[in-house]
Amino acid sequence: MTFLRKALPLVAVLAVPFSTQAQEAPRPELLNRLTACRATADEAARLACYDAAVAALDAAEREGEVVVVDRAQVRDSRRALFGFDLPSLPAFGRVTTGEDEVSSVETTLTRASRGGDGKWVFRLADGSTWRQIDSESVFFPNREGTEVRVRRAALGSFMMTVGSSRAIRVRRDQ
């Protein structure tokens, strides 16, 4: 697992199982073999080394043993999973700058309805479903297309603002 910054436009190579903690994972052996080819002095031997290592990496990727993602795919995945409490993938946690961290999502309302407990359930244009978890009354324009913002709050919770309403505490259902 690593970020390839200079030689390739790729961001991460994943070949480890899910982890429950964001931790530094060792690089996959296939990637180690590929990068080790640089140390081969003889040009013909280096080329043969690269050819064999790339063939092995390509075969592993085709069989699903290794997954290669670029920074845009990581960003899109983080956005799509925003609000879920999932196990951490080490590659998703290795971004060193805060630029790829998703702290809020802005989308529009598809529809909102009250559940059996009297709390609101919001279906958003990005396909997510959020449920009100506080007991506060909230008044908002319940119309398709109304702007919605969901942001991270304290202690792993989330706050939603619909239109110009006050923020309510929510959790993601889907």
Side-chain angles (χ1 to χ4, degrees):
M1 292 266 274
T2 187
F3 286 94
L4 305 172
R5 293 198 170 117
K6 295 180 183 173
L8 299 173
L10 304 175
V11 174
V13 177
L14 305 175
V16 295
F18 282 93
S19 168
T20 56
Q21 299 177 10
Q23 59 191 13
E24 187 73 20
R27 293 173 95 183
E29 182 57 33
L30 290 170
L31 185 59
N32 286 335
R33 279 192 257 159
L34 179 63
T35 58
C37 293
R38 287 186 295 193
T40 305
D42 180 59
E43 289 183 17
R46 186 171 52 250
L47 180 58
C49 179
Y50 275 127
D51 285 344
V54 167
L57 184 60
D58 184 51
E61 191 274 335
R62 289 179 192 273
E63 293 172 10
E65 293 177 27
V66 173
V67 177
V68 178
V69 295
D70 63 23
R71 186 175 304 272
Q73 290 170 311
V74 170
R75 195 174 21 254
D76 291 347
S77 294
R78 283 183 172 174
R79 181 174 162 72
L81 296 172
F82 180 78
F84 283 126
D85 185 20
L86 298 173
S88 164
L89 284 174
F92 289 172
R94 288 193 61 186
V95 177
T96 57
T97 63
E99 70 188 43
D100 289 329
E101 183 62 34
V102 178
S103 59
S104 67
V105 173
E106 295 179 16
T107 184
T108 58
L109 183 68
T110 300
R111 72 174 212 226
S113 58
R114 289 196 184 252
D117 58 0
K119 296 181 181 179
W120 287 100
V121 177
F122 302 91
R123 287 166 185 76
L124 306 182
D126 65 4
S128 63
T129 301
W130 295 79
R131 183 175 301 277
Q132 180 183 10
I133 58 173
D134 62 17
S135 298
E136 301 298 321
S137 296
V138 61
F139 300 100
F140 61 92
N142 189 0
R143 288 185 298 263
E144 183 174 352
T146 302
E147 292 182 6
V148 175
R149 179 174 184 250
V150 182
R151 64 177 170 82
R152 288 189 190 279
L155 303 173
S157 64
F158 297 88
M159 300 296 285
M160 175 184 283
T161 306
V162 181
S164 59
S165 72
R166 69 168 195 79
I168 59 170
R169 195 164 306 278
V170 293
R171 82 163 188 273
R172 183 156 178 191
D173 281 349
Q174 298 179 7

